[in-house]
Amino acid sequence: MKKSKYVGKTREEAISQATIALQELEKDLYIKEMELKSGLFSKKVEIEVATKEDVIEFIKEYLKNLIKNMNLTANIEVKKREDRVSFTIYTENNAILIGKNGKTLDSITTIVKQVVHKELGTYFNLTIDIGEYKVQQQKRIESLAKRVAREVGKSKIATKLDPMNSYERRLVHTTLADYPKVITESEGEEPNRFVVIKPKEDK
């Protein structure tokens, strides 16, 4: 990953140098403090800095190499939002990268997040999708949650959904957070943890 180094008498001074040189706001920089340099009469702080664009370019290249090693070629679409960056991968065989129930995609996401965290020393909010698989999955889960919630609201009988990963369970909870007639709870143990949609008790 492309990084720049800056040295100052204090961390603030080093960051100030970085923001001026890179013409970026501090909040848009990923700053890793290096070892303190001590001279005979003075101390200096060294920082290693990456911009958001540096991180995005690194992730794109890492994904391309990862996919190339699977004997596939890919086009990668990047969407930047204030709170996260989304990478959508398109290949001639998306199913290989998605895997059964999205498990290969989950593994790719985990690997990339770990590599980026090691490079930056901090968290970088990113999502990875293959051919909009997650977009379709999200729509499917939201539709399922709403349908079951309507049924539970009418029947007053709690319903267990099939086991889901943490991302899918969170989608269900978020989708039904403001639904007036039901509440949602996660139960069970990983990897078979599931969501129960329960009727809300009348007050």
Side-chain angles (χ1 to χ4, degrees):
M1 185 183 296
K2 181 186 173 186
K3 298 173 189 172
S4 305
K5 291 184 179 180
Y6 299 90
V7 178
K9 292 178 181 177
T10 63
R11 187 175 189 272
E12 289 72 23
E13 184 180 296
I15 291 172
S16 178
Q17 289 183 31
T19 57
I20 293 169
L22 298 170
Q23 296 187 327
E24 297 275 3
L25 296 173
E26 182 181 344
K27 69 180 182 66
D28 296 323
L29 297 176
Y30 295 87
I31 301 164
K32 188 176 183 180
E33 192 164 331
M34 311 303 285
E35 288 185 17
L36 195 69
K37 291 186 173 182
S38 297
L40 188 60
F41 300 107
S42 64
K43 290 183 179 180
K44 292 183 179 179
V45 176
E46 182 179 11
I47 59 172
E48 200 173 60
V49 181
T51 65
K52 182 180 276 191
E53 291 303 320
D54 292 333
V55 181
I56 289 170
E57 201 55 39
F58 173 81
I59 293 170
K60 281 179 67 177
E61 288 305 310
Y62 188 88
L63 284 170
K64 283 180 181 177
N65 288 330
L66 189 67
I67 294 163
K68 184 179 179 182
N69 289 334
M70 298 172 76
N71 295 318
L72 295 170
T73 56
N75 291 317
I76 300 174
E77 179 183 280
V78 179
K79 289 184 180 178
K80 291 175 273 189
R81 296 177 176 84
E82 189 64 33
D83 60 333
R84 75 178 185 276
V85 181
S86 302
F87 298 83
T88 304
I89 302 167
Y90 298 92
T91 75
E92 66 271 24
N93 194 336
N94 289 336
I96 290 177
L97 293 177
I98 293 168
K100 186 177 180 181
N101 298 323
K103 287 186 176 173
T104 304
L105 171 55
D106 289 342
S107 297
I108 290 171
T109 302
T110 299
I111 290 167
V112 171
K113 284 184 174 181
Q114 287 175 344
V115 169
V116 173
H117 187 276
K118 185 178 179 182
E119 286 283 334
L120 296 177
T122 189
Y123 177 71
F124 184 84
N125 194 357
L126 67 97
T127 59
I128 297 174
D129 201 355
I130 311 289
E132 298 188 349
Y133 166 78
K134 279 194 172 180
V135 173
Q136 298 305 319
Q137 178 195 39
Q138 179 175 333
K139 290 179 180 176
R140 179 181 61 79
I141 291 172
E142 288 174 347
S143 177
L144 171 68
K146 290 175 183 176
R147 177 172 58 79
V148 174
R150 286 194 295 269
E151 293 171 359
V152 171
K154 290 177 183 177
S155 69
K156 305 295 183 185
I157 299 171
T159 299
K160 292 193 298 187
L161 301 181
D162 289 337
M164 295 178 174
N165 61 36
S166 59
Y167 165 76
E168 294 167 336
R169 294 196 306 272
R170 189 164 60 250
L171 266 180
V172 175
H173 294 310
T174 302
T175 301
L176 301 180
D178 298 322
Y179 199 87
K181 296 183 179 180
V182 303
I183 59 171
T184 58
E185 293 178 3
S186 289
E187 297 182 7
E189 300 295 329
E190 296 289 6
N192 297 312
R193 199 159 165 76
F194 55 88
V195 175
V196 182
I197 301 176
K198 300 179 179 181
K200 190 175 286 185
E201 293 182 7
D202 295 327
K203 294 182 179 178

